Structure formats: structure tokens, C-alpha cells
Amino acid sequence: VFEDWALLLDWVTQPDSLAGKLRTSEPIDADTHKAWLKRFLGSGASRLFIVLMANQPIGQIRFQPNEDGVFVIDVYVTADRRGGGVARSALEHGMAQMTENTSPTQFQAEVRIENTASHRLFKGLGFAEISRTNDHLVYERKMTARRA
């Protein structure tokens, strides 16, 4: 996925993406982004999935463990593909894959207060609100692998 660095950089520096971030509010330069991506991909436990539609990249989902081993989720879908269930489908698939490798698996999402679409997304996927600040909510869900 490192070869997708330019695409990922383009997505993360879109104004709508930056508006939804809690920790990144300014555009990121290419060298900083590439260094971050190398660390992320080299961490072992982190996962990044490029979301495809008709073999075209339209977004990404990322799972990054925090200090407690809980996978923090980051989601981005291009503006022209939002509202059709793409994020929900991609997250369901990604969480299922993550759960196959580590079960039980705990997931969290930090969502800005004003991001109503993401609140609907995570609530619709069975996430429960576990905390709230003046600018964001934290949702959490624990999953176990399905056994055939």
C-alpha cells in the first residue's frame, strides 16, 4: 500500500477530510506523510484498506491500535461516493477481517460532534457511545470471530 501514498495524501488533505479530523487541521506535506505511512505500515498491528468500486479507489479505512490494544478506526470515502452505504459496507468487511486475526477485537471511533453522517454510521453498526467531550464523541464495539 505504500505505493498509494500520493492518493492517501490527496484524500487526507481534502478540506472535508481535514474538517473531520481531531488531530490534523492543516494540510500535510509529502515527506511528512510518507514518513508517517512507513511507520504505520511497519507497526505490524495496524491495517489500512483501500476501498474500491468498479476497480477504482474511492476511499480508505484504517485500523490503528491504541495503547490499550483497541483498534481506532479512521474512514474516508470520496465526496461523490458518500451516502450509498460504501463506508458501512467497507467497515463491516474490514472489521470482520480484523476479527478473524484477533478475537475478541475491540474497535473505537472518535467522531466530531457535527459529523452526523459518521454518528449514524457507527450507531448503525452497533457501536455504543462511551464518552463525550465538547468537540467529539467516542464510540466503541467489541466483536468476536464468527465460527462456521
Side-chain angles (χ1 to χ4, degrees):
V1 175
F2 185 78
E3 55 274 4
D4 293 318
W5 72 267
L7 177 64
L8 294 166
L9 178 61
D10 180 56
W11 288 339
V12 77
T13 57
Q14 291 296 314
D16 63 331
S17 178
L18 289 171
K21 302 285 184 207
L22 292 172
R23 293 171 188 81
T24 307
S25 60
E26 299 292 325
I28 301 162
D29 68 80
D31 290 337
T32 300
H33 177 70
K34 287 193 271 187
W36 169 85
L37 186 58
K38 281 183 183 177
R39 284 191 313 275
F40 177 86
L41 295 172
S43 74
S46 299
R47 295 288 179 268
L48 184 139
F49 299 94
I50 302 292
V51 180
L52 301 175
M53 181 177 281
N55 282 336
Q56 295 300 310
I58 60 163
Q60 63 92 27
I61 56 171
R62 190 172 74 227
F63 300 94
Q64 187 167 6
N66 64 18
E67 60 278 354
D68 298 322
V70 175
F71 286 98
V72 178
I73 298 171
D74 182 81
V75 180
Y76 181 79
V77 174
T78 57
D80 61 329
R81 297 296 184 184
R82 293 183 193 147
V86 171
R88 181 185 178 105
S89 178
L91 274 174
E92 286 174 331
H93 181 73
M95 289 188 308
Q97 284 196 337
M98 296 297 292
T99 303
E100 285 177 13
N101 299 328
T102 307
S103 187
T105 305
Q106 218 166 328
F107 299 100
Q108 276 186 3
E110 299 173 338
V111 180
R112 284 196 167 280
I113 295 288
E114 64 273 10
N115 191 340
T116 56
S118 288
H119 293 292
R120 282 192 309 271
L121 171 66
F122 288 105
K123 287 177 183 177
L125 286 169
F127 280 72
E129 180 184 328
I130 62 166
S131 68
R132 178 184 294 246
T133 69
N134 61 344
D135 66 347
H136 73 279
L137 280 71
V138 178
Y139 292 100
E140 189 169 85
R141 179 175 172 192
K142 187 174 186 177
M143 292 177 62
T144 51
R146 294 184 206 160
R147 305 288 179 210

